[in-house]
Amino acid sequence: MKLPRFVRSEAQTPTPARRPPALLEGRPRGSKEGVSSWHLLQVMLIPLVVMLLQTGSSYCGLPFYNGFYYDRVMNDKGDGNGEVHFNGARLMVETSQDAVFSLRGANVTLPCRYYYLPKLDAPRMIRIKWSKLKEDSTRDADVLVSSGLKHRSFGDFRGRTRLQRSAPHEVSLVIGDLRLRDAGKYRCEVIDGLEDESGTVDLELQGVVFPFQPHQGRYMFNFHEAKKACEEQDAVLASFEQLFQSWMEGLDWCNAGWLADGTVQYPITLPREPCGGKDLAPGIRNYGERHKSLHRFDAFCFSSALKGRVYYLAHPQKLTLEEAKQACQDDKAEIAKVGQLYSAWKFLALDQCDAGWLADGSLRYPIASPRLNCGPPEPGIRSFGHPKVGKFGVYCYKMS
C-alpha cells in the first residue's frame, strides 16, 4: 500500500535533525561526556521553554493587551499583589477632529474627554498627560500632567495652562496668552492603572508667512541660523501647513527656504522656468530634508497678531538707520521688526506708501489698498532690500 507523503511508515528511519550551530558550540567534540551533558541540557531547557510560552509576556511583568481593559487590583493605589483582573470595560478618549484656530495673545481650549464602554458606575482615579508633538519628530514636549486635583505644567507652559473640567470626564487643556511657538499638534493621554489611551488636537494660529534673508544676500542661513533669524524678527520658522495656507492665499516666492520640520521648500503660484519649470503645475516645490548645519538657504518665517501697534513715524527729516532707531526710542517706542510690520499689515490693514527702515536694516512699506505709484496691483509688503547708504523714514513699534 502506498502511503501518503505526509505519513511516515514505521520502517522509515528519520534523518537526524541538525542542531543549531550556536548550541553545538557548548558540546566538546568527540566526547561521550559531552553528548550526555547535551541531552541533560535539553531535558532542563525544554520545561523552561514550555513555561515561558505558557506564561507569555506576563512573565516579564507586561500586561497582555487584546483590545479590552485590564486593571491592577485596588486601581493602582499601592495595595494588592500585582494581580491583573479583567472587567470587560474599554477606556475611550475623544478629541476634536477639526483644528482649533486662534491668535497670538489669546486664550484657547483644546477639547478632550474620556469615557468607558460599557459605562462604569463607580468613579476611578485617573491621570492626565498633555504633551506637544515636535515638528521634526523628536521627543514630545511635556505640557501638563494631572492626578486628582493636582497638576503640574512644564517649560514655557508653566503658569499658562490648566485643565478644564466643566463636564463629567472632561480634561480639556486651557492655554493662556498664546505664543507663536504654541502652534502645533497636542496629545491628550488618559492613564487608568494599566490602561492608556490618547487622542490628538491640532492648534493653528492665524497669521502670515513671509520669506526672509539677511543683508548679505540669499541662501546664507543654515537651519539653526534661520530659526534664530525668524525669532529676532518677532516670528518663528513656518510649518508646512502655514506655508501651504499662504500659498493658497497667493504667496509666490522663487527662493527656497527652511521650514520648522527641517525641510527646504518654496511656493509657486505662477510656474516659470527658473522656478522648477514652466510646465510644472503650481504648488509647493520641495527639496526635502537637508543637513541642518551644512546646507544654506533662506527662511520662511511665520508671525501672528500683535499686542501693540506699528506706525510710520512722522519726522521732519529723513534718517539713516541709526538715526531711525534713536527716533523711535525718543518716541517711547522701538524700531519695528519685519514680523511686526507683516502682522500689522495682515491683521490691522496697515497701509503706508512711504518706505521706512526696519530693525534688520531693510527698507519696506505696507500696502493694503493698491494704487498708482505704490508698487504692484496686489496688496503686500514692498521691499527695497538693505540699502547701505541713504536717508528714509522709519516704522516704529509700541506696546499697547
Side-chain angles (χ1 to χ4, degrees):
M1 177 179 177
K2 187 178 181 179
L3 296 174
R5 298 185 64 182
F6 55 84
V7 176
R8 189 182 68 198
S9 71
E10 294 294 330
Q12 290 177 306
T13 302
T15 302
R18 185 178 181 182
R19 297 189 182 95
L23 295 179
L24 287 173
E25 290 176 2
R27 178 166 60 94
R29 300 190 180 201
S31 168
K32 294 183 179 180
E33 291 78 11
V35 173
S36 60
S37 299
W38 169 251
H39 287 292
L40 179 61
L41 179 61
Q42 285 182 314
V43 172
M44 297 174 62
L45 284 176
I46 290 175
L48 178 60
V49 171
V50 172
M51 181 181 69
L52 286 172
L53 291 174
Q54 290 176 340
T55 55
S57 60
S58 61
Y59 182 77
C60 58
L62 298 175
F64 176 71
Y65 181 74
N66 63 357
F68 292 94
Y69 175 74
Y70 289 83
D71 183 37
R72 196 184 313 161
V73 173
M74 303 302 292
N75 190 33
D76 198 31
K77 293 182 179 177
D79 302 326
N81 58 4
E83 183 181 1
V84 174
H85 287 243
F86 171 61
N87 66 8
R90 175 77 184 273
L91 174 63
M92 308 292 289
V93 173
E94 276 189 355
T95 53
S96 174
Q97 298 298 313
D98 299 323
V100 177
F101 290 86
S102 190
L103 294 169
R104 176 168 56 174
N107 299 336
V108 70
T109 300
L110 306 184
C112 182
R113 62 180 292 267
Y114 69 95
Y115 59 93
Y116 295 91
L117 288 178
K119 184 178 180 181
L120 297 180
D121 295 329
R124 305 180 64 82
M125 178 68 73
I126 54 96
R127 288 191 286 271
I128 307 298
K129 180 179 179 180
W130 277 93
S131 54
K132 186 175 185 293
L133 282 60
K134 294 291 186 66
E135 287 275 354
D136 56 1
S137 301
T138 55
R139 183 179 181 275
D140 298 348
D142 293 335
V143 176
L144 177 145
V145 293
S146 172
S147 179
L149 298 178
K150 297 181 179 179
H151 76 273
R152 178 184 177 188
S153 301
F154 299 88
D156 289 341
F157 295 98
R158 189 174 290 117
R160 297 193 295 128
T161 57
R162 62 179 177 84
L163 287 185
Q164 178 172 287
R165 301 177 181 267
S166 57
H169 293 179
E170 181 186 9
V171 288
S172 301
L173 178 68
V174 179
I175 308 177
D177 189 22
L178 281 177
R179 300 171 184 176
L180 291 173
R181 61 176 60 91
D182 290 343
K185 188 182 294 291
Y186 290 77
R187 176 182 288 116
C188 173
E189 185 176 9
V190 181
I191 306 165
D192 181 347
L194 298 180
E195 182 75 345
D196 182 344
E197 292 294 338
S198 65
T200 58
V201 185
D202 286 325
L203 171 60
E204 296 187 17
L205 296 186
Q206 295 173 323
V208 57
V209 172
F210 59 94
F212 186 75
Q213 56 186 220
H215 63 86
Q216 296 94 331
R218 67 194 292 263
Y219 293 179
M220 300 298 296
F221 294 134
N222 65 27
F223 174 82
H224 309 289
E225 293 165 345
K227 181 180 178 182
K228 181 180 178 182
C230 287
E231 292 172 352
E232 289 175 347
Q233 296 305 315
D234 192 46
V236 293
L237 273 177
S239 67
F240 171 78
E241 290 77 13
Q242 291 164 347
L243 181 66
F244 182 83
Q245 180 61 37
S246 294
W247 170 74
M248 293 284 288
E249 295 172 357
L251 180 62
D252 184 287
W253 193 257
C254 198
N255 287 351
W258 290 102
L259 297 181
D261 61 359
T263 62
V264 175
Q265 310 191 39
Y266 63 98
I268 296 297
T269 58
L270 180 63
R272 49 203 184 273
E273 202 58 47
C275 307
K278 62 182 179 180
D279 295 329
L280 288 181
I284 307 293
R285 311 289 192 243
N286 188 355
Y287 285 12
E289 291 189 22
R290 296 289 167 154
H291 196 288
K292 293 182 177 180
S293 297
L294 298 181
H295 292 153
R296 294 183 175 273
F297 298 93
D298 291 344
F300 284 104
C301 303
F302 172 83
S303 192
S304 186
L306 290 170
K307 290 184 177 180
R309 68 186 183 95
V310 174
Y311 60 97
Y312 182 79
L313 181 64
H315 198 272
Q317 58 187 10
K318 300 299 182 180
L319 309 163
T320 65
L321 177 59
E322 294 305 317
E323 292 171 341
K325 293 178 180 179
Q326 185 60 50
C328 287
Q329 292 179 10
D330 294 342
D331 202 46
K332 295 182 172 50
E334 60 184 28
I335 189 169
K337 299 175 180 179
V338 178
Q340 293 167 344
L341 183 68
Y342 270 92
S343 296
W345 165 76
K346 174 76 172 181
F347 293 100
L348 302 176
L350 182 63
D351 187 289
Q352 185 77 38
C353 195
D354 293 287
W357 290 108
L358 294 178
D360 69 328
S362 64
L363 197 64
R364 310 174 194 246
Y365 66 95
I367 295 297
S369 300
R371 52 199 182 272
L372 291 176
N373 302 320
C374 294
E378 300 83 19
I381 303 294
R382 318 301 193 213
S383 176
F384 293 93
H386 300 76
K388 296 181 180 180
V389 295
K391 293 191 174 186
F392 307 94
V394 62
Y395 287 92
C396 301
Y397 169 74
K398 184 177 293 188
M399 289 288 291
S400 299

